[in-house]
């Protein structure tokens, strides 16, 4: 592998703050929204559907803008990173691997990630690329901006439908991370087992993948 591309939510960052902030904004208990997220994950739906269950008819884009205007927009700091992120990414770069971060995030999230000065060669988001997972074009655009070839590129993520299956279909190798609701619930599903080149419990497991 010459290049490893990392998903963001529940791969590099915990989603605790994200969902807690939405619950507070919608003025519902955090546990309620957390349970709704679990419900849609179990049904195989996009986790954003939890917001529609919490507030039917919600315009998520408009609510994003309202939160920003109220000074309650997106925020990330060091505490949002999983403990294995910096050690794993640093070691991979020492091994000569190009480290790319690319997920379904806003342009603002990309800025916040860059502000964390992560050991990465490139950080980009779906909003910057103009296309989101699981669309095949997302992975084609990532390869283009990373100047990488599919067969020598590994995509790492927790989400089967957004990460594992479309990355594999786009010709990349893929590693499914047992982390977060999606990563735990669907890790042993036969389709995931068949599609993933590797299944890992920690980002540091990638060191062994590279070393062979």
């Amino acid at each position: 592998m010459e290049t490893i591309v990392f998903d963001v939510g529940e791969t590099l960052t915990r989603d605790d703050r994200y969902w807690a902030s939405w619950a507070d904004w919608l003025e519902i208990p955090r546990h309620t929204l957390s349970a709704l997220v679990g419900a849609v994950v179990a049904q195989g739906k996009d986790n954003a559907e939890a917001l529609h269950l919490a507030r039917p008819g919600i315009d998520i884009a408009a609510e994003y803008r309202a939160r920003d205007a109220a000074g309650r927009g997106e925020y990330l700091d060091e505490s949002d990173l999983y403990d294995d992120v910096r050690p794993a990414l640093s070691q991979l770069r020492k091994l000569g691997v190009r480290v790319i971060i690319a997920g379904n995030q806003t342009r603002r999230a990309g800025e916040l990630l860059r502000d964390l000065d992560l050991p990465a060669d490139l950080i980009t988001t779906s909003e910057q690329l103009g296309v989101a997972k699981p669309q095949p074009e997302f992975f084609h655009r990532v390869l283009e901006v990373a100047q990488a070839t599919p067969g020598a590129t590994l995509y790492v993520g927790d989400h089967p439908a957004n990460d594992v299956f479309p990355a594999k279909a786009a010709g990349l190798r893929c590693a499914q991370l047992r982390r977060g609701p999606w990563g735990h619930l669907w890790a042993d599903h036969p389709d995931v087992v068949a599609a993933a080149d590797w299944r890992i419990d920690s980002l540091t497991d990638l060191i062994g993948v590279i070393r062979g």
Side-chain angles (χ1 to χ4, degrees), residues 15-27 30 33 51 55 58-76 106 108 112:
D15 280 347
D16 305 54
R17 186 197 301 273
Y18 177 84
W19 291 113
S21 66
W22 269 114
D24 294 346
W25 177 255
L26 297 176
E27 298 182 336
R30 293 180 177 184
L33 187 54
L51 297 176
R55 181 178 288 179
I58 187 174
D59 183 334
I60 296 176
E63 293 296 330
Y64 261 115
R65 292 192 294 271
R67 287 180 56 184
D68 283 337
R72 296 171 62 181
E74 291 182 89
Y75 182 78
L76 286 172
T106 63
R108 173 60 177 157
L112 292 168

Side-chain angles (χ1 to χ4, degrees), residues 105-162:
Q105 266 74 35
T106 63
R107 187 179 301 273
R108 173 60 177 157
E111 294 170 354
L112 292 168
L113 287 167
R114 283 186 283 275
D115 287 345
L116 293 177
D117 194 26
L118 293 167
D121 296 283
L122 174 68
I123 298 174
T124 190
T125 68
S126 55
E127 185 173 9
Q128 290 174 276
L129 295 172
V131 63
K133 297 181 291 183
Q135 295 301 314
E137 184 61 22
F138 173 89
F139 297 92
H140 299 155
R141 289 284 292 122
V142 168
L143 291 171
E144 180 183 347
V145 299
Q147 299 182 332
T149 56
T153 302
L154 171 64
Y155 195 86
V156 181
D158 62 297
H159 198 306
N162 279 353

Side-chain angles (χ1 to χ4, degrees), residues 47 66 77 115 139 167 196 206:
N47 53 20
D77 65 21
D115 287 345
F139 297 92
L206 296 169

Side-chain angles (χ1 to χ4, degrees), residues 6-13 82 84-85 155-160 163-164 174-187 192 196 198-206:
F6 291 88
D7 172 44
V8 179
E10 290 304 335
T11 296
L12 302 182
T13 63
Y82 278 100
D84 57 359
V85 172
Y155 195 86
V156 181
D158 62 297
H159 198 306
D163 301 327
V164 177
C174 57
Q176 196 268 344
L177 176 63
R178 188 190 293 266
R179 176 174 286 173
W182 280 97
H184 284 287
L185 184 60
W186 297 95
V192 176
W198 294 276
R199 292 186 296 146
I200 60 176
D201 296 313
S202 168
L203 298 182
T204 55
D205 293 344
L206 296 169

